[in-house]
Amino acid sequence: MNAYQQQLTEKTDYLNNLFQDLDFPTIGVFESPEKHYRMRAEFRVWHEGDEIFYAMFERGQKASGASLLRCDQFDAAHDSINALMPRLIEAVSPVPLLKNRWYAVEFLATLSGEMLVTMIYHKKLDEQWEAAARALQSSLGIRIIGRSRGQKLVLAQDFVTETLNVGGKAFRYRQIEGSFTQPNAKVCEKMLAWACSAAEGLGGDLLELYCGNGNFTLPLATQFDKVLATEVSKTSVNAALWNIEANQSHNVKIARLSAEEFTEAYMQNRSFRRLQEQGIALADYRFSTIFVDPPRAGVDDETLKLVAQFDNVIYISCNPETLRANLDKLTETHEITRAALFDQFPFTRHIESGVLLKRKGA
């Protein structure tokens, strides 16, 4: 058993132990590529004399020469990032306007081939920098954003357009710099396919909380009559609206509400002008299923009461501990019929998992 399979076995054993006193199905395990799986990578730019290079630092240590790890290549990063890394250093090194006080860099790659690079500086970026950066952008065939304190200079656009394939269909996603996206695109495709498989045959309408840019929303919309998805971030909502239009997912509407706010609206404890302005009437929906992909804190207690009202619950979790806490409540009314482990973050302790719950006796 190689190192990757060993760590994957340890993660599977951890989940089995965590859920051992629940009536838990066999966990489906979805592997990651062992290398070149991350579509995002961030590095410090380290200056030693006239030389610059990418650097990381020992976990828990201050950024200093003593804890410095030089990163000319980065095995976890996608091939396109590794290919660009030396080219970027080579192109910047002889240009003082670009090199001087260049502090950090962020790469955002896609399976579709687009690349966005954010160059972060400890200096004010002026017109001369912008002209040099535009020449760099053109020569390398990438999109560049320049950042410094109080500045964000977008030279072309502040997003990339990703294409993910699910069930033989291609879905296009606008991914905006600085916004959350799943970093492991190949495992993300497996997660989307699993969610669609879990939703197959459930029918009716879908409610989704924490929808982000519509990552799960668009493929899941193929399984339901109508979808109402909620998200509080304006940036993510705007990206989701673009994605809905680009993929012609005309049975989807987005409500700009937090999960807590939507719970208040659904329970008729509070009305929201935003719903009226967006032409959303909850009475128009016949929800059979709720889909949740909450932050690490899990689903809050009031929202969990809402979740428990649905016959079918598809739950994607980035924190097994809070998933376990939520399942202790949900299994009072529901049974777990499917479970999965998605290895989004190989060689780390982080675990992404998924469960399908159905109301008991339904």
Side-chain angles (χ1 to χ4, degrees):
M1 183 181 296
N2 64 21
Y4 175 72
Q5 292 298 328
Q6 177 64 35
Q7 66 94 34
L8 192 57
T9 298
E10 291 171 358
K11 288 181 177 182
T12 306
D13 290 344
Y14 171 79
L15 285 188
N16 281 322
N17 289 331
L18 183 63
F19 300 123
Q20 63 180 333
D21 55 343
L22 294 175
D23 186 7
F24 212 76
T26 300
I27 298 173
V29 178
F30 295 87
E31 299 183 2
S32 169
E34 295 185 30
K35 292 183 178 182
H36 308 311
Y37 49 84
R38 281 193 65 90
M39 310 309 293
R40 299 198 306 262
E42 303 173 8
F43 303 96
R44 279 282 298 274
V45 177
W46 199 254
H47 296 246
E48 282 192 358
D50 291 333
E51 185 183 18
I52 56 173
F53 54 85
Y54 306 107
M56 291 183 173
F57 300 91
E58 297 282 0
R59 186 182 299 275
Q61 301 295 314
K62 291 184 178 180
S64 67
S67 63
L68 178 127
L69 299 172
R70 180 166 176 156
C71 298
D72 295 320
Q73 293 281 268
F74 186 50
D75 280 351
H78 190 258
D79 289 324
S80 60
I81 295 176
N82 278 286
L84 178 60
M85 288 170 67
R87 295 178 61 216
L88 183 60
I89 289 288
E90 182 181 0
V92 168
S93 292
V95 185
L97 280 169
L98 298 174
K99 177 183 177 182
N100 293 347
R101 309 203 73 183
W102 183 24
Y103 172 75
V105 63
E106 300 174 359
F107 298 93
L108 177 58
T110 61
L111 297 177
S112 64
E114 295 187 10
M115 177 76 74
L116 181 63
V117 177
T118 302
M119 302 176 71
I120 303 167
Y121 287 83
H122 278 332
K123 67 177 181 180
K124 182 176 175 59
L125 303 180
D126 56 18
E127 292 180 356
Q128 290 178 311
W129 177 89
E130 184 173 345
R134 288 190 181 279
L136 176 68
Q137 178 176 256
S138 178
S139 67
L140 295 179
I142 59 178
R143 282 82 179 254
I144 290 177
I145 294 174
R147 282 189 178 272
S148 68
R149 186 182 296 275
Q151 278 189 296
K152 177 183 177 181
L153 297 182
V154 180
L155 303 189
Q157 59 192 45
D158 65 349
F159 62 87
V160 290
T161 303
E162 177 62 290
T163 301
L164 299 177
N165 290 284
V166 184
K169 183 176 180 180
F171 293 89
R172 298 174 64 212
Y173 295 91
R174 177 168 288 184
Q175 299 181 343
I176 299 174
E177 185 249 5
S179 295
F180 175 79
T181 54
Q182 296 286 355
N184 190 326
K186 285 299 182 183
V187 173
C188 183
E189 289 181 328
K190 295 178 181 181
M191 293 170 66
L192 299 178
W194 181 88
C196 287
S197 175
E200 189 173 358
L202 298 182
D205 299 335
L206 173 72
L207 172 64
E208 179 183 1
L209 307 182
Y210 323 96
C211 78
N213 72 345
N215 183 50
F216 283 95
T217 317
L218 303 179
L220 282 171
T222 64
Q223 304 296 320
F224 295 94
D225 297 330
K226 291 183 291 187
V227 176
L228 177 59
T230 73
E231 171 58 49
V232 68
S233 163
K234 287 184 179 180
T235 300
S236 295
V237 167
N238 289 335
L241 291 172
W242 186 92
N243 295 337
I244 289 168
E245 186 62 31
N247 291 277
Q248 298 184 344
S249 298
H250 300 308
N251 62 334
V252 179
K253 286 191 175 182
I254 303 289
R256 192 175 65 79
L257 296 172
S258 68
E260 294 82 358
E261 288 174 329
F262 183 84
T263 299
E264 290 187 278
Y266 190 85
M267 300 295 193
Q268 299 183 344
N269 294 331
R270 181 180 171 190
S271 60
F272 288 87
R273 185 177 299 173
R274 274 169 282 170
L275 289 176
Q276 299 170 3
E277 291 172 348
Q278 295 169 288
I280 295 171
L282 298 183
D284 293 340
Y285 291 87
R286 298 294 179 265
F287 295 117
S288 69
T289 306
I290 187 169
F291 176 90
V292 294
D293 182 10
R296 290 189 59 80
V299 180
D300 66 274
D301 290 342
E302 288 304 310
T303 305
L304 202 61
K305 294 176 184 177
L306 168 69
V307 173
Q309 294 188 24
F310 290 75
D311 286 345
N312 308 297
V313 180
I314 305 173
Y315 190 139
I316 298 291
S317 169
C318 61
N319 184 348
E321 299 290 340
T322 54
L323 173 61
R324 170 60 209 243
N326 286 164
L327 288 179
D328 283 342
K329 289 289 187 181
L330 290 174
T331 51
E332 294 175 2
T333 52
H334 291 69
E335 59 181 346
I336 306 165
T337 61
R338 296 182 69 171
L341 185 161
F342 308 103
D343 199 20
Q344 268 276 351
F345 305 96
F347 305 108
T348 75
R349 299 175 64 181
H350 296 293
I351 298 175
E352 200 94 5
S353 51
V355 292
L356 169 65
L357 301 102
K358 291 179 176 289
R359 183 178 300 281
K360 295 175 180 178

